[in-house]
Structure formats: structure tokens, C-alpha cells
Amino acid sequence: MAGYFEEMGWRELDEGEQPDHLLHMARFLMDFGMYEDNFTGEWPRLPPPAAKEAVKNLNEIVIDNDTTNCPICLKAFNSGDKATKMPCNHVFHPACILTWLDKTNSCPFCRYELPTDNEGYEAFKKEKKRAVQRKEDIDTLHNSMFS
Amino acid sequence: MANIAAKRIKREFKEVMKSEEVAGGAIKLELVDNNWTELQGAIAGPPDTPYEGGTFLLEIKVPETYPFNPPKIRFMTKIWHPNVSSVTGAICLDILKDQWAAALTLRTVLLSIQALLSAAEPNDPQDAVVAKQYRDNLCLFNLTARHWTNVYAGGPSVIADFNQKVQRLLDMGVEEHQARVALSTYDWELERATEQLFS
């Protein structure tokens, strides 16, 4: 069994560190279901742009067969063209994908998500992942007791 | 920027024209102006739905920032569906809003709208009145949707009872569409519809 702090996704305060009152307020509201829509459902807007660092680290490749199109501008690639490859292996013209990632963080083809620089959105993603994990844990516990 | 949008629409137009859906008559796409910024789409009502046999026209406006922003699409043919406004034709579909992705095309969007006709999302309604009927009285909803398909989209099922009720209101001097909306809204109870129209 994980410790209390770990299970909640929290950590203990460091020596001399002050608690973050805004964070407490947010958790308080969440506990009372004030943000139910945001935390059980979807991010209410288009997710934020991809993190600058993640975009910088995308792989550059050179096209060696010209049978495919760039899914954004739909223009066919030519052999020898430079292209950008996302971690999900989808390939785009650099200018096309950079414009898109400047708007939102996911692959236009399969919605694979790059990290963002938006703390609120990263917290939302983490919370969502934790909610799934917690539900699985409860199911496991329930099944081990009643099956 | 506008240039990218126009070039892509041209490529998409060719893709749609070659697609099997166009060949099969499920979707259609036509140019409205010469700048590739406005198009007219058409989808066939899916089989085994109240929309079967109808043809629904859609207005498609392509923004300058396409494909980085979604096209603006609304129904021009009047339709009775929880996720489409029975007044404006506005569509509530996530991929036309915050779930848009640049790799989606007019072809895939038209097919998604067609799929929406087969599987409504009453919990995310565009038209609250229609959604309420869908939840509370699915049988009557299906009849109403079938009637609208018959009247506005060229569908085959004539529902005589509804036509008679509309005619009764026409005889009282009510405009036809207004009469149909009032009757549809009040579950085809002539008395309540009349009361609302003349109050």
C-alpha cells in the first residue's frame, strides 16, 4: 500500500515551506464537486500549445519515398524533402506541424499528446490519470473482497 | 495564409470527388463561390433512422486559417435532431469545435455529421426541446423526425395525422413552419400548440 501522500499525488512540505493556499482552495472546491465538469470530463477548451522544448526535440527526417501526403496541407511529399516526425511516427511538413503545435499539443492525425508548458493543463492530465488509477484500485479491492 | 486554405480545399475537393461515398450517393460537395471559401455539402439520411430517404444540405464556410481551424458548418435543410438547432441549423459536434484536428477533411467531417444522424447525443444537446422529446418520448421523436424529413428533405414517409394537424393551424392563419414547430414542440397536442401560438 502506498503512503497517504503518494496515494493522493501530494508531497510533504519542505522545511520552512509555506502551503499553497490557492491549491488548497482548488482542492476544497474539487472535493465539493464544484469543478466536476472539468475533472471528470474533458478539458473544456482546445488543449494548449505543445511545450517549446518538446517541439525543438522532434525528429527531422528526409523523405525517401514519395508515396505519402502531408496530412495537414495534403500535398504529396517529394523524395529528399525535409519532414518532421512526431513520436507517434506521423510525418508532416515542418512548417505545417509547427503551426499546428503552436495552437495545440496533439498529433493532428492520431491525437498523440506532446507535453505542454501550461501548468493548469498538466495538472488536469495528472488528475485525470490519477482518477483512472484510483478507480482501478477500488475495483481491484472490491473484486478481491466480493468475487 | 488564405492561400494554404484554398490550396488544401482544392486538393480535398478532388479527394471527395474520387471517393466511394460520392459514387454511392452518401455525400455530395459543390462549390458555391470561386474563392474556395464557401461550399455546399449534402448528406443522405442514414438507413434505419428517421432520416432515411432524405437529402440534407449543409452550408460550409472555410475560414482563412483552415485547416488549423475547423470549417463552419450548419444544416440548411430543416431537421429535427437533438444535436442540431431546429431554428438555425447549428450543429453540436465536438470535432467542429475543440476536438478539431488538422488532418480531418471535409470528407471525414461530412461522414461524421452523417454518423451523428444515426447516433444522437441527447446529453450534449444543441436543441433542448428536441433533446427532451428524444429522452422522454423516443417513439414520438422518431415520428416527428420522420415527418420533418418528409416535408423538408424529400423523405418518403407521409404522416397523415401530423399533416392534418398542421393543416388545422394553417386554416387558422398560422404560417406553416411556425405551426409545425409549435406542434412538434408540444408533442403534437393541437390544443397546447394553439394555446402557445395565440397567447
Side-chain angles (χ1 to χ4, degrees), chain B residues 152 169 173-184 196-197:
Chain B
Y152 297 116
L169 287 178
V174 181
E175 190 267 324
E176 181 181 333
H177 180 61
Q178 213 184 351
R180 186 164 291 114
V181 170
L183 285 163
S184 303
Q196 188 264 333
L197 282 166

Side-chain angles (χ1 to χ4, degrees), chain B residues 32-174:
Chain B
V32 172
D33 68 2
N34 291 324
N35 326 320
W36 302 87
T37 55
E38 207 175 325
L39 298 98
Q40 181 174 292
I43 54 177
D48 302 319
T49 69
Y51 312 104
E52 182 170 10
T55 304
F56 298 88
L57 299 182
L58 297 149
E59 175 191 86
I60 305 172
K61 288 190 171 154
V62 182
E64 268 187 37
T65 50
Y66 187 79
F68 300 105
N69 284 308
K72 292 188 171 58
I73 305 187
R74 67 176 192 93
F75 273 89
M76 285 163 68
T77 305
K78 293 193 171 15
I79 180 168
W80 192 253
H81 186 284
N83 306 110
V84 183
S85 163
S86 60
V87 181
T88 62
I91 306 169
C92 182
L93 182 62
D94 56 357
I95 58 163
L96 292 176
K97 292 171 186 159
D98 53 355
Q99 290 297 307
W100 170 252
L104 291 166
T105 63
L106 292 179
R107 178 180 152 267
T108 52
V109 167
L110 288 179
L111 291 175
S112 299
I113 295 173
Q114 199 182 33
L116 186 67
L117 297 189
S118 306
E121 290 275 356
N123 295 323
D124 189 16
Q126 178 77 34
D127 195 307
V129 173
V130 185
K132 188 173 179 309
Q133 190 180 65
Y134 184 95
R135 280 192 302 257
D136 298 348
N137 195 342
L138 186 61
C139 195
L140 196 64
F141 163 84
N142 281 329
L143 279 175
T144 308
R146 203 177 286 279
H147 171 71
W148 281 51
T149 304
N150 169 240
V151 175
Y152 297 116
S157 315
V158 178
I159 295 169
D161 177 42
F162 289 179
N163 284 339
Q164 273 164 22
K165 283 179 175 160
V166 171
Q167 187 59 46
R168 286 277 294 279
L169 287 178
L170 287 185
D171 294 342
M172 295 182 213
V174 181

Side-chain angles (χ1 to χ4, degrees), chain A:
Chain A
M1 206 59 173
Y4 173 73
F5 285 95
E6 206 177 312
E7 193 182 322
M8 300 303 285
W10 302 345
R11 61 179 180 78
E12 289 181 76
L13 290 179
D14 285 334
E15 190 71 9
E17 190 183 358
Q18 290 295 312
D20 182 339
H21 295 297
L22 268 176
L23 195 63
H24 281 197
M25 185 67 180
R27 281 182 190 146
F28 175 79
L29 290 173
M30 264 167 63
D31 286 348
F32 282 85
M34 301 293 279
Y35 282 131
E36 212 175 328
D37 281 354
N38 292 8
F39 285 97
T40 54
E42 293 302 311
W43 185 248
R45 303 177 291 279
L46 192 70
K52 297 218 161 48
E53 198 57 33
V55 173
K56 224 166 68 190
N57 291 336
L58 288 177
N59 284 333
E60 278 255 312
I61 60 159
V62 174
I63 299 288
D64 55 6
N65 67 353
D66 49 7
T67 53
T68 52
N69 294 346
C70 167
I72 295 182
C73 66
L74 302 180
K75 221 156 103 182
F77 286 120
N78 298 316
S79 277
D81 278 0
K82 275 204 177 116
T84 301
K85 191 179 194 173
M86 292 276 286
C88 50
N89 285 334
H90 292 118
V91 176
F92 307 87
H93 288 122
C96 294
I97 191 66
L98 290 187
T99 312
W100 178 253
L101 292 176
D102 206 26
K103 206 174 130 65
T104 187
N105 67 331
S106 62
C107 170
F109 205 79
C110 67
R111 303 192 197 274
Y112 173 91
E113 288 196 57
L114 291 177
T116 71
D117 287 329
N118 181 317
E119 278 174 36
Y121 184 70
E122 292 302 315
F124 163 81
K125 269 205 307 199
K126 230 164 112 185
E127 176 62 32
K128 209 167 137 182
K129 218 165 117 187
R130 260 202 316 265
V132 171
Q133 183 62 45
R134 263 204 299 272
K135 193 177 170 302
E136 274 171 19
D137 287 350
I138 289 171
D139 285 351
T140 312
L141 190 62
H142 183 274
N143 290 343
S144 66
M145 285 196 289
F146 296 108
S147 62

